[in-house]
Amino acid sequence: MTLPTRAGLDAVPAYRQGRSAPAGASKLSSNESPHPPLPSVVEAVQQRLATIHRYPDMSAAALRERLAERYGVEPAAVTVGAGSVEIASQLIHAVAGEGDEVMFAWRSFEAYPSLVRIAGATPVAVPLNAEHAHDLDAMLAAITPRTRLIFVCNPNNPTGTVVGAAELEAFVAAVPRDVLVVIDEAYVHFDRTGSHGAGVELFHRYPHVAVLHTFSKAHGLAGLRIGYALSPLAVADSQRKVAVPFGVTDLAQAAALASLDAEDELAVRIDEVVAHRDRLCALLVDAGWPAVTSQANFVWVPAGDRTDELESLLNEGGVITRVFAGEGIRISSGSMEDIDRVQSALQAETALLEARA
């Protein structure tokens, strides 16, 4: 006899972690920092190890107060969670349920549709435009009386495209005030356009905007799982009701605070990741692959029916990537050695083609 499970979960795919890399290969399948933790962050974590037999501050008061001061908001407007994905889940559960709709562009963050279905709501995926960016006009047209939340991933994962500040504000202004617009800025630190950080400004100016950030990417704390949001007060209160109790560890809170103290050091690392991202994109374009200009810490290659070909080429060169079958490949920006390995793989293909000619 098979035990029954919840109806509807068959439609929820398990989240796929980026493939691990064998020894000597480059793991560019997950959007992680290629840099080891900062010494000051390691020290902050080590200082807390002696008290891991105690529960953490469930409210993360010190961190929330620090972030509230930074962004000029009330501490009550700041919510925390085990990575930005848990914050996204909180936001969905806080405002949507059975019969409601949650909208997002597609392709975008892979977890969105699953999180929506787990909450019992209906996912509404609006195709990206020809430039692999959000089609905001189509998203506005897709709003119905059942729409409760709209995600705008900016920069977008996996395409790296950005909604400009003016365009984003026009969209937010047009969305009904009873629909929450969540601007997911997980990759904002890598954005070198004029829209950098536009979400926070819109949060201050519009009552139906929330902004989602993470310490996993630019701050290099992916293994500790901590993210946060700036939310309207009523939404933030509801988020705390649906959050996993004690979901953010004491170690993660200490590391986040130490990272905020070390942002000058982190800025140097971020600039390096951006430089390697731009080099990666140029290498792919020069090799004849349709890489999309990115403002995140990865590059999207919409290879279509040549996706398997590109995956094999990179695998043979010791580069492990994130593959979306029949659509394309996302390649994270890694170290100089990682990008050199991508270059070698692409050059090997060029040499083979020339030999056949």
Side-chain angles (χ1 to χ4, degrees):
M1 179 178 177
T2 302
L3 290 172
T5 57
R6 179 180 142 193
L9 287 184
D10 288 345
V12 181
Y15 186 81
R16 297 181 304 124
Q17 185 173 6
R19 286 175 53 206
S20 58
S26 293
K27 182 179 183 289
L28 302 182
S29 55
S30 298
N31 295 328
E32 305 157 327
S33 172
H35 302 99
L38 289 170
S40 59
V41 174
V42 173
E43 181 181 359
V45 172
Q46 288 174 335
Q47 290 176 354
R48 298 292 185 96
L49 291 175
T51 58
I52 59 173
H53 60 300
R54 303 293 187 188
Y55 283 108
D57 175 5
M58 193 170 78
S59 70
L63 178 59
R64 288 172 51 239
E65 288 171 6
R66 181 74 172 276
L67 292 169
E69 181 180 358
R70 160 178 290 218
Y71 294 113
V73 303
E74 296 180 48
V78 183
T79 56
V80 298
S84 60
V85 66
E86 206 245 316
I87 292 289
S89 178
Q90 290 177 16
L91 288 162
I92 294 167
H93 282 273
V95 303
E98 188 171 351
D100 296 327
E101 295 176 345
V102 175
M103 187 189 304
F104 45 84
W106 197 254
R107 179 170 289 275
S108 190
F109 181 35
E110 199 170 358
Y112 288 158
S114 294
L115 294 175
V116 174
R117 288 191 175 98
I118 290 168
T122 301
V124 177
V126 178
L128 297 170
N129 63 24
E131 286 73 44
H132 309 283
H134 285 68
D135 188 338
L136 297 182
D137 289 339
M139 293 177 76
L140 286 174
I143 294 173
T144 75
R146 296 169 57 193
T147 306
R148 293 292 175 266
L149 184 151
I150 301 173
F151 281 107
V152 178
C153 190
N154 201 39
N156 187 47
N157 175 19
T159 63
T161 52
V162 168
V163 177
E167 186 182 8
L168 182 58
E169 178 164 12
F171 175 77
V172 167
V175 172
R177 297 302 185 265
D178 60 349
V179 175
L180 182 68
V181 180
V182 177
I183 303 171
D184 184 345
E185 293 187 334
Y187 302 95
V188 70
H189 295 86
F190 309 101
D191 182 1
R192 293 298 181 264
T193 71
S195 67
H196 182 96
V200 174
E201 182 178 348
L202 293 175
F203 171 78
H204 282 287
R205 294 167 56 190
Y206 290 88
H208 62 312
V209 169
V211 183
L212 192 159
H213 285 176
T214 182
F215 283 95
S216 295
K217 317 303 181 186
H219 294 85
L221 303 184
L224 285 175
R225 313 306 304 129
I226 181 165
Y228 65 95
L230 309 179
S231 303
L233 292 178
V235 175
D237 286 343
S238 293
Q239 284 179 250
R240 283 184 273 273
K241 293 176 182 178
V242 301
V244 176
F246 302 106
V248 179
T249 68
D250 189 55
L251 302 184
Q253 293 177 44
L257 284 165
S259 293
L260 294 174
D261 288 334
E263 291 203 313
D264 288 345
E265 291 179 84
L266 288 170
V268 175
R269 293 181 167 197
I270 293 167
D271 286 343
E272 181 181 310
V273 169
V274 168
H276 291 171
R277 172 201 74 197
D278 292 345
R279 178 188 168 208
L280 172 62
C281 187
L283 288 171
L284 289 159
V285 171
D286 288 347
W289 293 98
V292 177
T293 299
S294 174
Q295 296 298 332
N297 66 338
F298 50 81
V299 174
W300 172 245
V301 187
D305 58 9
R306 297 185 66 198
T307 296
D308 290 346
E309 177 187 345
L310 180 57
E311 179 190 14
S312 297
L313 168 68
L314 294 172
N315 281 351
E316 290 171 7
V319 179
I320 307 303
T321 61
R322 183 77 162 201
V323 179
F324 299 86
E327 294 182 59
I329 289 180
R330 190 194 69 197
I331 310 172
S332 297
S333 176
S335 65
M336 182 178 295
E337 180 183 15
D338 294 328
I339 308 307
D340 286 345
R341 190 169 280 127
V342 173
Q343 182 175 22
S344 296
L346 295 172
Q347 288 175 340
E349 179 198 36
T350 301
L352 179 61
L353 292 174
E354 290 176 350
R356 288 175 178 174

